[in-house]
Amino acid sequence: MRLQESTIYPFLEKHPASYEVITVKKNACIVRANEESKYIWYLLEGEVKVVAVSNNGKSIVVDEIAPNNFVGHLSNLFGQNFYCDSFAVTDGSLVQIPIARFLELMQELAFSRLFYLKVNNRLYTMFKKELVKHMFSQQEQLAYYLLQNAKGNECQIKSMYKTSEYLCISRRNLYNMIDSFVTDGCLARTEKGDILIADFEKLQQKALPVATYLNNLI
């Protein structure tokens, strides 16, 4: 997406010196949890992952940010601190706005409405995903995840670590559940170790409770 096509551009076009468009590479850190809020960003292209890390080193994926959304220590603007790192999941580009300029923009009613609308929508999505972790079994969650990340009949699990991090389950449990899905006939392993969906209908049945809940939109 070009800056001129973004929803934030009308608020920036008259002040070109008040922002900068930057590019980031995959896995680059945009802001660390312990960094001071010097900037707020607006994502134009790519995807950003927001991660919290516990004292014992456990990582929790708090949010996944798509283009046309704000990035940064947004919780600080509400008097809170989620203490999260933000990483680029893919190569991307962002509008970098100094915090002082951002706070000036927040004095404009139309801009503050845009900000709160986008942040509130994401908060409800985050809360709904969090409810899934408590309302449905790990097998139901894994089945839904596999279907959502499948390309044809191939499960796109590039990293067991990242998958277990996203689902908030141990890698041991993840391996055990995949083995059980293979035994059930839902999945199959190739000689190279790739994981394929062997029975879409059976896997969809396992994922149905999660799919029904997440797709129940107004």
Side-chain angles (χ1 to χ4, degrees), residues 12-142:
L12 301 177
E13 61 178 332
K14 295 180 181 179
H15 305 280
S18 66
Y19 65 88
E20 178 183 1
V21 177
I22 64 170
T23 58
V24 292
K25 294 293 185 182
K26 179 181 178 180
N27 296 325
C29 181
I30 296 167
V31 61
R32 290 284 184 186
N34 58 358
E35 286 183 28
E36 182 183 352
S37 292
K38 295 181 179 179
Y39 303 99
I40 295 294
W41 295 267
Y42 195 81
L43 186 61
L44 298 175
E45 294 180 318
E47 182 182 345
V48 171
K49 179 171 65 174
V50 182
V51 180
V53 181
S54 66
N55 291 334
N56 62 6
K58 181 180 179 181
S59 296
I60 301 171
V61 178
V62 176
D63 194 10
E64 292 177 310
I65 306 174
N68 246 342
N69 279 288
F70 292 94
V71 177
H73 292 326
L74 305 184
S75 60
N76 292 175
L77 300 169
F78 296 87
Q80 303 293 328
N81 190 352
F82 283 3
Y83 209 72
C84 294
D85 300 320
S86 295
F87 296 96
V89 178
T90 63
D91 293 349
S93 60
L94 306 97
V95 182
Q96 180 172 272
I97 308 170
I99 189 66
R101 175 57 184 154
F102 178 83
L103 293 176
E104 289 176 358
L105 287 168
M106 286 293 286
Q107 300 305 308
E108 300 180 24
L109 181 60
F111 183 86
S112 63
R113 281 178 173 172
L114 172 69
F115 173 77
Y116 289 123
L117 175 63
K118 288 189 172 292
V119 172
N120 285 343
N121 284 342
R122 274 170 49 200
L123 284 173
Y124 274 99
T125 300
M126 288 163 56
F127 186 59
K128 197 167 187 179
K129 287 181 178 179
E130 185 63 27
L131 286 175
V132 166
K133 297 172 186 175
H134 299 281
M135 294 171 62
F136 303 101
S137 72
Q138 291 183 343
Q139 287 204 355
E140 290 168 336
Q141 294 175 55
L142 176 59

Side-chain angles (χ1 to χ4, degrees), residues 130-174:
E130 185 63 27
L131 286 175
V132 166
K133 297 172 186 175
H134 299 281
M135 294 171 62
F136 303 101
S137 72
Q138 291 183 343
Q139 287 204 355
E140 290 168 336
Q141 294 175 55
L142 176 59
Y144 180 80
Y145 177 86
L146 293 174
L147 289 168
Q148 290 296 108
N149 291 277
K151 187 176 182 180
N153 70 332
E154 182 181 348
C155 297
Q156 301 287 295
I157 301 180
K158 297 180 180 179
S159 166
M160 288 293 188
Y161 173 79
K162 290 182 178 179
T163 301
S164 63
E165 177 188 68
Y166 179 82
L167 294 172
C168 290
I169 59 177
S170 69
R171 274 175 283 179
R172 181 177 180 179
N173 279 351
L174 178 58

